[in-house]
Amino acid sequence: MILFKEAAPLSKHISKLRDKGNSIGFAPTMGALHSGHISLIEKSKTICDITVSSIFVNPTQFNDPKDFEKYPVTIGSDISALESAGCDILFIPSVSEIYPAGIGKAPHYDLGEIELLLEGRFRPGHFQGVCQVVHRLLDIVKPGKLFMGQKDYQQCIVVKKLVQLLNLPIDVITVGTYREESGLAMSSRNLRLSKDEKLEAAAIFKMLQYIKENRTTNPHSTLENYAANYLIKSGFRAVDYVSIADAKTLQPTSAISEGIKRVALIAAFIGDVRLIDNLLLDE
Ligand code: AMP
């Protein structure tokens, strides 16, 4: 695995590989890697000749400065994990390498209504930050395929929209969510949970499954309320949302909407750690 810290030599290196006919797969991350991240690398390796990853904790996508400050950093073990997974190229840039003109100088993206729903509603500015960093990284790496986790369901929709807006020749490939045995979705933020909190946090997946099992017999609002109350009783401090939504647009759906594929999405806090997860209901 070759490690780059600067954008220009990385672009040049990848461009040479591309010119030789290699397909380029890219899985960007914020580090504190777990098996979910590694599954993106593995997927890329089955489809692409060269797999590139990046580790960059992007300050512009954190609406809560404390969340940014406390974001786990495990760079040494991340490098070993990527190396073992067979990642070919790793990019670990500084903030000035990603935002050479300075933070706050990045463009604004017209994402439409998706930006105001769910994560967008509770984390204002988050998706603009995501688009800023993804746009810059795509410009540097220029992959043919971009690998993203379904765990961040709304992010996948937003990034597909970004790729469309920018008219880039990139396939965005969504990779299924990797979970702990308890059902808890793997997340870098899980490192901030105590052993007991980790057990309690499994209630999110339990409720997503409950919603899926009961989706035909109960109104959506009843299921959403039941799940939110259950989370609070299970030790969650606050629930931002439980939403049964149109899987394409994330607009709320009613129980009678026929033929529309749905997804259940949850965001909730254990202590000051915010967790998100989702489950497709109609597959
Ligand atoms: P992050 O480091 O949290 O920005 O995540 C980097 C990439 O890994 C994103 O595309 C995430 O959706 C994906 N990812 C995070 N957690 C998981 C998981 N449990 N399973 C699969 N992919 C994941």
Side-chain angles (χ1 to χ4, degrees):
M1 184 170 76
I2 310 178
L3 172 59
F4 288 86
K5 293 189 171 176
E6 288 171 11
L10 171 67
S11 291
K12 208 168 148 193
H13 181 74
I14 295 176
S15 157
K16 274 190 201 153
L17 290 167
R18 198 182 301 106
D19 290 350
K20 284 186 190 154
N22 290 294
S23 57
I24 311 292
F26 180 39
T29 82
M30 297 204 298
L33 301 185
H34 48 67
S35 308
H37 294 113
I38 297 305
S39 73
L40 305 184
I41 304 297
E42 284 166 353
K43 183 77 188 177
S44 171
K45 284 183 67 68
T46 64
I47 309 179
C48 301
D49 300 317
I50 298 290
T51 293
V52 183
S53 188
S54 61
I55 297 176
F56 178 65
V57 186
N58 174 35
T60 73
Q61 73 187 67
F62 286 82
N63 57 313
D64 175 0
K66 278 195 205 125
D67 189 27
F68 177 57
E69 276 161 32
K70 290 185 186 167
Y71 201 82
V73 176
T74 59
I75 207 81
S77 60
D78 291 351
I79 293 173
S80 310
L82 288 169
E83 182 117 55
S84 308
C87 179
D88 300 293
I89 297 171
L90 173 59
F91 183 38
I92 309 187
S94 63
V95 172
S96 60
E97 202 64 27
I98 293 295
Y99 300 112
I103 287 181
K105 293 273 185 338
H108 185 272
Y109 302 89
D110 184 9
L111 300 171
E113 233 182 306
I114 191 86
E115 191 184 351
L116 306 172
L117 299 167
L118 304 171
E119 287 302 283
R121 178 166 162 233
F122 286 93
R123 303 184 67 190
H126 169 65
F127 287 124
Q128 287 299 323
V130 168
C131 287
Q132 286 160 4
V133 74
V134 171
H135 186 181
R136 174 79 175 122
L137 288 169
L138 293 180
D139 240 16
I140 296 167
V141 176
K142 295 191 174 53
K145 298 198 189 314
L146 175 65
F147 296 86
M148 311 281 300
Q150 190 198 317
K151 150 89 171 29
D152 298 283
Y153 191 90
Q154 192 170 4
Q155 175 169 275
C156 290
I157 298 181
V158 165
V159 169
K160 281 180 187 160
K161 175 127 199 186
L162 175 75
V163 165
Q164 210 179 28
L165 277 176
L166 300 171
N167 211 6
L168 298 172
I170 297 175
D171 280 343
V172 181
I173 296 176
T174 305
V175 180
T177 303
Y178 239 72
R179 301 181 179 282
E180 306 278 356
E181 234 171 81
S182 66
L184 173 64
M186 289 190 183
S187 163
S188 306
R189 289 185 177 85
N190 293 353
L191 288 174
R192 295 179 50 209
L193 299 175
S194 68
K195 213 172 158 202
D196 284 349
E197 285 173 331
K198 245 183 146 179
L199 290 175
E200 286 162 12
I204 291 189
F205 187 56
K206 198 169 166 193
M207 281 303 98
L208 290 171
Q209 285 178 309
Y210 174 86
I211 289 172
K212 186 165 184 171
E213 279 155 21
N214 293 282
R215 71 193 185 282
T216 50
T217 47
N218 289 281
H220 287 175
S221 58
T222 309
L223 294 172
E224 288 164 349
N225 289 335
Y226 177 85
N229 289 331
Y230 184 93
L231 291 175
I232 296 293
K233 275 191 226 143
S234 308
F236 279 78
R237 177 174 65 78
V239 177
D240 272 354
Y241 58 79
V242 176
S243 177
I244 300 171
D246 181 321
K248 277 201 181 127
T249 64
L250 296 190
Q251 292 287 349
T253 58
S254 78
I256 46 157
S257 45
E258 270 175 39
I260 289 180
K261 297 220 169 180
R262 291 161 296 178
V263 60
L265 307 106
I266 293 180
F269 283 89
I270 285 215
D272 65 349
V273 182
R274 187 171 183 279
L275 300 176
I276 61 171
D277 198 358
N278 65 82
L279 193 63
L280 287 165
L281 301 184
D282 301 301
E283 63 172 26

